[in-house]
Amino acid sequence: MSNIAIVLVILSAAMHAGRNYLTKKATDKQAFVWWYEGVGLLLFTPLFLLFFPTASMASIHVWGFIIASGLLHFIYWVLLAKALETGDLSLVYPIMRSSPALVLLFSIFVLNEAVSPGGVTGILLVALGSYTINMQRLSVDELVRPLRAISHDRAIQFAFLTLVSVAAYSIVDKVAVGLIHPVVFAYVYPWFSMLLFSGYIRKCKTKGEIKNEWKANRTPILACGFLSIFGYFLILVAFTLERVSYVVGLRQLSIVFAVLLGGYALKEKHQRIRFTSASVIFAGTFLIAFG
């Protein structure tokens, strides 16, 4: 990977983990996500207006990718908030981010990307670490527990569905930034997501619940508004420089950051195994970046 892409992805990974840490601490997580996504759009309007005159948006293909991305990110927001409401950060977050293996398959068979043996090994290590990170002890029975838990554990169900949505929007967005400037794309697609999400929030939340979340978490909302759009903008720029499977794989460093936050800040359980799995993920990301 290029050095610029590596730096961009690592910065984005840290921002992503920090954003989810703040979301986990929120009172009403869905209202919190709605607030910070809206705030982020307002914060970045001046930057969008600067780049918009040079953007080519006349093609129907461009708008097709913008709408598709907006829909997929809306689905991701809903599933993300549900997963964080019902499960530990260091349990559900790694599952949600264990999409590299799926993205690898899509990138090879859909985008025809060439991936080195070291890159494949790194991506598979990341997927392995992401899967084992929710084990409570080292045993075969524990190894298959997540698969068994899918049928009854709501947090794991939401986490796995979030995983699929991440893989889907990663592929769509990789193609999109080849057609439109990343700054413009990072700003426009969230408006479609917000349109859908606002309708969802209106049905699920009262005005009082929405107002109370703003009053309780105004500063974290402002911080996440910046982290959300700018953090993903860095990934979009990295997509223009590197293969999507490598970018998504290296971005899983956010799991390592999330495990540290979950263990030390939120005092979540089973940290020995989670730290071990995080080390496997780190080794995989190293191979992706330098292998």
Side-chain angles (χ1 to χ4, degrees), residues 65 102-115 167-178 239 242-246 248:
F65 281 109
L102 189 56
V103 173
L104 174 63
L105 293 176
F106 287 159
S107 68
I108 293 174
F109 294 107
V110 177
L111 302 181
N112 295 316
E113 290 187 342
V115 183
Y169 76 60
S170 296
I171 298 298
V172 169
D173 293 356
K174 165 65 176 180
V175 178
V177 293
F239 279 161
E242 270 294 345
R243 288 150 287 191
V244 62
S245 57
Y246 281 29
V248 173

Side-chain angles (χ1 to χ4, degrees), residues 147-265:
L147 298 178
R148 294 174 179 170
I150 292 176
S151 64
H152 63 271
D153 191 316
R154 296 292 288 174
I156 292 180
Q157 290 171 356
F158 285 126
F160 272 105
L161 289 173
T162 306
L163 177 158
V164 176
S165 69
V166 170
Y169 76 60
S170 296
I171 298 298
V172 169
D173 293 356
K174 165 65 176 180
V175 178
V177 293
L179 303 173
I180 185 173
H181 195 287
V183 169
V184 176
F185 182 72
Y187 180 84
V188 175
Y189 85 77
W191 281 106
F192 289 91
S193 304
M194 278 298 293
L195 180 65
L196 295 170
F197 199 42
S198 294
Y200 174 83
I201 289 294
R202 185 177 180 182
K203 284 187 176 183
C204 298
K205 306 294 178 184
T206 65
K207 290 183 179 179
E209 289 174 327
I210 297 172
K211 290 180 180 178
N212 289 339
E213 188 59 36
W214 172 257
K215 292 178 181 178
N217 291 296
R218 183 182 292 107
T219 300
I221 285 170
L222 292 172
C224 286
F226 171 80
L227 294 174
S228 176
I229 290 186
F230 186 70
Y232 195 61
F233 164 69
L234 297 180
I235 291 298
L236 293 176
V237 174
F239 279 161
T240 67
L241 302 173
E242 270 294 345
R243 288 150 287 191
V244 62
S245 57
Y246 281 29
V247 172
V248 173
L250 183 59
R251 196 187 185 199
Q252 306 321 302
L253 274 175
S254 61
I255 296 175
V256 179
F257 299 140
V259 168
L260 292 173
L261 288 170
Y264 290 110

